[in-house]
């Protein structure tokens, strides 16, 4: 092509560039120019430029994001010696810069290569190529996180949260990946070979462990454990009692999987605990790989004593159901704390800290707590956050998966229908040893058959069950379920519907284990139920 005001061939295409050259020189120039215009060359150049730009941007953002002494993580940082503060600071800045560089480089390379291929296919150079390449790039980057992420994406404001219909959930003892997802922000894409898990705090020997070292240096343990959101069954609390604050989870915010990885205890033994008084000491888990709602990072903690108990089976999980963790569920490494609310099983874990107090992350201090009924709203809750313990052990529970509330049930000649569901033990008190159903508002109970999950070696997993119960034709029929675990805990009580009822229980000294409403709607463990059935 020729530019206005320039002689034909001057500064123009290949013909102008090769004027006066020998045939061999002209061929070499044409080959070089062809290579520079090729898709592989454009991909490499764009990836390299993106890497450089991303590195500079990441370094700048990391230097600007350091915590002040007033923040939770800032207070922890200032407790360290100055040299350690500087060392950790520069190392963290370098890590963030490199991570940003990789992300920018990857985006640039995929976009440039895709746009070039589209342009060659269409034989046109217009805006359509760029738009299409952008869509494909976003889809490729999100594909590993599942169809929803690839199709519409996710953000801090709208993280990926979903649950399956509960009758689909109980169709398999091991939960299929993609059935249940709980996140507080975007899902980070992390290269396993670059991921480091730091172990620091009150230890004699701080560690920095790669995924390969976690796999090769330590014995790999396998457990079967359920993992449930603290807000599982929140919808029932919301509808039976009154409005609560949180995602409207039904009965499916739970998964039951086979987890494999080294025990946290083994790693802490290597680091050497340096704690004089273990009372109140915690092991905190953190993920700094992605921003979350209302915070720069996500974290949680458990008691140090639990972390050091061999039979607590706390893992740094590397595998799920016999395969590497999926990206949605924490690849390449996540914590698994059996029997405890899922919010403590931090995904994409990159730092484990032994400390004298619980995690200062807001999800430990200002969320996932069973606040007293007096905490009616955000304002009135402020005085109770620091007075209320963080939810750790999950309560015993059971759920009816089939039939579902509102279903129309056709009664067979026998007059008996099949009921099925799942049950969960309380904390470390598993396994579930008994499940019962009632058709007369809890006056009498019939034993259900536990299909799987009641082996004494499987104390952390759920139990799938079914029962055959007699029903009579009519409307507004109601089924109830209750579970009993190996520790003797029995799921009991109807939800408390008023403060008067609470006052009555206190003044009379009775205890029917009735379920108390709480603002965040966590830890609901009233009877499993299927209500408003129409039996024909």
């Amino acid at each position: 092509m020729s530019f206005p005001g320039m002689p034909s061939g001057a500064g123009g295409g290949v013909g102008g560039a090769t004027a006066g050259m020998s045939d061999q020189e002209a061929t070499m120039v044409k080959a070089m120019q062809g290579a520079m215009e090729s898709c592989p060359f454009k991909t490499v150049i764009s990836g390299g430029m993106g890497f450089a730009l991303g590195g500079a941007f990441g370094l700048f953002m990391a230097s600007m994001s350091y915590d002040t002494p007033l923040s939770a993580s800032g207070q922890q940082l200032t407790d360290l010696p100055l040299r350690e503060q500087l060392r950790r600071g520069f190392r963290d800045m370098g890590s963030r810069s490199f991570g940003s560089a990789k992300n920018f480089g990857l985006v640039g390379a995929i976009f440039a290569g895709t746009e070039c291929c589209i342009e060659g296919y269409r034989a046109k150079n217009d805006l359509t190529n760029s738009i299409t390449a952008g869509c494909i790039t976003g889809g490729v980057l999100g594909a590993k996180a599942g169809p929803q992420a690839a199709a519409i994406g996710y953000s801090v404001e709208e993280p990926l949260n979903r649950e399956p219909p509960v009758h689909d959930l109980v169709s398999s003892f091991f939960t299929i990946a993609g059935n249940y997802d709980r996140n507080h922000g975007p899902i980070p894409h992390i290269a396993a070979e670059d991921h480091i898990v730091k172990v620091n705090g009150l230890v004699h020997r701080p560690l920095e462990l790669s995924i390969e070292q976690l796999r090769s240096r330590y014995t790999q343990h396998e457990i079967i454990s359920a993992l449930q959101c603290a807000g599982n069954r929140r919808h029932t609390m919301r509808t039976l009692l009154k409005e609560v604050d949180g995602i409207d989870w039904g009965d499916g915010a739970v998964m039951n999987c086979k987890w494999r990885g080294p025990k946290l205890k083994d790693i802490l033994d290597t680091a050497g605990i340096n704690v004089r008084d273990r009372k109140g000491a915690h092991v905190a888990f953190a993920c700094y790989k992605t921003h979350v709602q209302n915070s720069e990072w996500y974290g949680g903690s458990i008691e140090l004593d639990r972390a050091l108990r061999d039979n607590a089976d706390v893992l740094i999980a590397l595998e799920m159901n016999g395969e590497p963790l999926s990206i949605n569920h924490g690849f390449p490494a996540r914590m698994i704390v059996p029997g405890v609310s899922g919010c403590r099983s931090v995904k994409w874990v990159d730092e484990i800290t032994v400390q004298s107090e619980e995690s200062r992350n807001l999800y430990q201090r200002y969320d996932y707590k069973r606040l007293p009924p007096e905490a009616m709203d955000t304002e009135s809750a402020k005085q109770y956050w620091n007075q209320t313990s963080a939810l750790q052990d999950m309560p015993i529970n059971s759920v009816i998966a089939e039939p579902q509330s509102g279903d129309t049930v056709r009664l067979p000649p026998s007059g008996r229908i099949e009921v099925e569901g799942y049950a969960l033990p309380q904390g470390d008190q598993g396994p579930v040893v008994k499940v019962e159903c009632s058709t007369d508002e809890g006056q009498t109970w019939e034993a259900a058959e536990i299909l799987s999950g009641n082996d004494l070696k499987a104390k952390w997993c759920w139990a799938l069950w079914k029962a055959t119960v007699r029903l009579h034709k009519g409307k507004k029929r109601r089924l109830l379920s209750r579970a009993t675990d190996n520790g003797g805990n029995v799921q009991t009580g109807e939800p408390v519907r008023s403060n008067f009822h609470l006052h009555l229980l206190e003044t009379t000294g009775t205890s029917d284990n009735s379920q108390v409403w709480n603002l965040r709607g966590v830890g609901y463990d009233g009877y499993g139920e299927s209500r408003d059935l129409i039996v024909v």
Side-chain angles (χ1 to χ4, degrees):
M1 62 180 287
S2 298
F3 291 95
M6 296 185 68
S8 177
V14 175
T18 59
M21 295 183 181
S22 66
D23 290 343
Q24 184 177 4
E25 291 172 333
T27 301
M28 291 179 62
V29 170
K30 290 179 180 179
M32 291 175 62
Q33 200 162 21
M36 293 175 66
E37 293 178 355
S38 69
C39 291
F41 184 83
K42 290 181 178 179
T43 299
V44 172
I45 291 297
S46 295
M49 292 177 64
F51 187 90
L53 178 63
F57 179 76
L59 185 63
F60 172 76
M61 293 302 295
S63 66
M64 297 294 291
S65 67
Y66 258 80
D67 300 287
T68 70
L70 298 178
S71 71
S73 54
Q75 289 177 346
Q76 294 174 4
L77 188 64
T78 54
D79 290 338
L80 299 174
L82 178 60
R83 177 177 292 184
E84 178 65 14
Q85 291 184 40
L86 293 173
R87 188 180 72 85
R88 289 183 58 181
F90 285 121
R91 185 177 60 195
D92 186 54
M93 288 169 63
S95 176
R96 295 194 194 189
S97 177
F98 183 64
S100 178
K102 288 192 302 179
N103 291 336
F104 273 65
L106 181 62
V107 171
I110 295 177
F111 178 83
T114 304
E115 184 183 37
C116 182
C117 291
I118 294 173
E119 181 179 334
Y121 177 77
R122 296 182 67 238
K124 291 182 181 180
N125 184 2
D126 55 23
L127 187 61
T128 301
N129 296 342
S130 299
I131 294 174
T132 306
C135 293
I136 293 175
T137 301
V140 169
L141 294 175
K144 291 183 179 180
Q148 177 175 328
I152 62 174
Y154 37 74
S155 66
V156 173
E157 292 75 23
E158 296 182 1
L160 177 61
N161 292 303
R162 59 186 175 186
E163 64 178 310
V166 69
H167 57 80
D168 291 345
L169 185 68
V170 300
S171 63
S172 171
F173 180 68
F174 292 114
T175 304
I176 301 170
N179 268 1
Y180 161 58
D181 289 287
R182 175 66 175 115
N183 296 283
H184 295 85
I187 296 171
H189 294 254
I190 302 168
E193 59 270 21
D194 299 328
H195 191 68
I196 297 295
V197 178
K198 304 171 188 177
V199 182
N200 53 33
L202 301 176
V203 296
H204 291 291
R205 296 172 292 277
L207 306 174
E208 292 189 4
L209 299 169
S210 67
I211 298 301
E212 178 56 33
Q213 289 170 328
L214 287 170
R215 197 181 300 276
S216 61
R217 288 188 181 181
Y218 298 94
T219 302
Q220 303 295 294
H221 297 269
E222 191 170 83
I223 63 169
I224 300 173
S225 176
L227 201 62
Q228 61 176 319
C229 177
N232 191 31
R233 304 191 67 200
R234 181 179 283 141
H235 179 77
T236 304
M237 181 180 286
R238 171 177 275 130
T239 53
L240 289 187
L241 303 180
K242 62 179 179 180
E243 187 58 57
V244 295
D245 180 18
I247 295 174
D248 194 34
W249 291 114
D251 296 336
V254 60
M255 60 195 305
N256 190 71
C257 298
K258 185 185 298 181
W259 308 98
R260 181 178 174 84
K263 283 190 177 183
L264 176 61
K265 176 186 181 299
D266 295 344
I267 292 165
L268 294 180
D269 285 345
T270 302
I273 302 300
N274 185 22
V275 178
R276 292 182 180 179
D277 183 7
R278 292 190 179 183
K279 184 178 181 180
H282 272 233
V283 179
F285 316 119
C287 168
Y288 293 99
K289 297 295 185 183
T290 183
H291 293 187
V292 294
Q293 295 164 312
N294 304 315
S295 182
E296 294 290 312
W297 59 290
Y298 183 83
S301 67
I302 60 173
E303 302 91 340
L304 176 60
D305 285 344
R306 182 192 295 268
L308 294 177
R309 286 205 314 268
D310 189 63
N311 63 359
D313 292 331
V314 182
L315 300 184
I316 300 181
L318 307 177
E319 296 181 12
M320 169 182 162
N321 291 340
E323 298 180 353
L325 293 169
S326 65
I327 292 177
N328 286 15
H329 292 288
F331 179 86
R334 71 168 299 166
M335 300 307 305
I336 292 295
V337 187
V340 170
S341 170
C343 55
R344 315 301 172 210
S345 292
V346 175
K347 292 185 285 190
W348 313 293
V349 62
D350 52 16
E351 190 161 7
I352 299 172
T353 305
V354 179
Q355 53 194 53
S356 59
E357 60 181 356
E358 67 178 356
S359 170
R360 286 185 170 272
N361 188 262
L362 71 87
Y363 290 101
Q364 181 89 15
R365 296 292 181 106
Y366 303 107
D367 200 350
Y368 299 122
K369 293 185 176 184
R370 275 177 155 175
L371 296 174
E374 291 77 14
M376 303 290 290
D377 51 36
T378 302
E379 188 62 31
S380 60
K382 290 180 178 179
Q383 62 179 305
Y384 296 106
W385 284 117
N386 290 327
Q387 301 175 17
T388 307
S389 299
L391 182 62
Q392 294 283 353
D393 284 1
M394 289 297 285
I396 189 168
N397 226 324
S398 70
V399 160
I400 296 176
E402 194 71 34
Q404 286 281 284
S405 294
D407 281 356
T408 297
V409 179
R410 186 167 298 279
L411 203 63
S414 65
R416 303 180 72 87
I417 68 164
E418 190 169 278
V419 184
E420 62 180 21
Y422 71 81
L424 295 157
Q426 178 171 310
D428 62 356
Q429 302 293 298
V432 171
V433 295
K434 183 168 63 174
V435 178
E436 300 165 287
C437 290
S438 175
T439 60
D440 56 8
E441 300 300 316
Q443 295 183 48
T444 60
W445 296 88
E446 295 185 55
E449 176 188 1
I450 297 180
L451 306 174
S452 55
N454 62 334
D455 189 312
L456 290 178
K457 296 181 181 179
K459 68 176 181 179
W460 307 116
C461 65
W462 68 9
L464 300 183
W465 57 269
K466 70 175 182 179
T468 304
V469 299
R470 183 173 297 280
L471 273 181
H472 299 288
K473 293 181 179 180
K475 298 180 179 180
K476 298 286 184 179
R477 300 302 186 197
R478 186 169 179 241
L479 297 173
L480 300 177
S481 68
R482 69 179 182 186
T484 302
D485 65 24
N486 192 51
N489 302 293
V490 182
Q491 180 185 4
T492 57
E494 290 281 3
V496 171
R497 300 177 186 275
S498 67
N499 285 333
F500 172 77
H501 187 183
L502 282 173
H503 177 70
L504 181 63
L505 295 177
E506 293 171 355
T507 54
T508 59
T510 58
S511 174
D512 66 355
N513 293 313
S514 297
Q515 307 311 305
V516 181
W517 175 90
N518 63 81
L519 179 63
R520 289 292 286 119
V522 297
Y524 182 82
D525 56 349
Y527 290 142
E529 66 173 296
S530 181
R531 59 185 181 276
D532 298 328
L533 296 174
I534 301 173
V535 183
V536 296

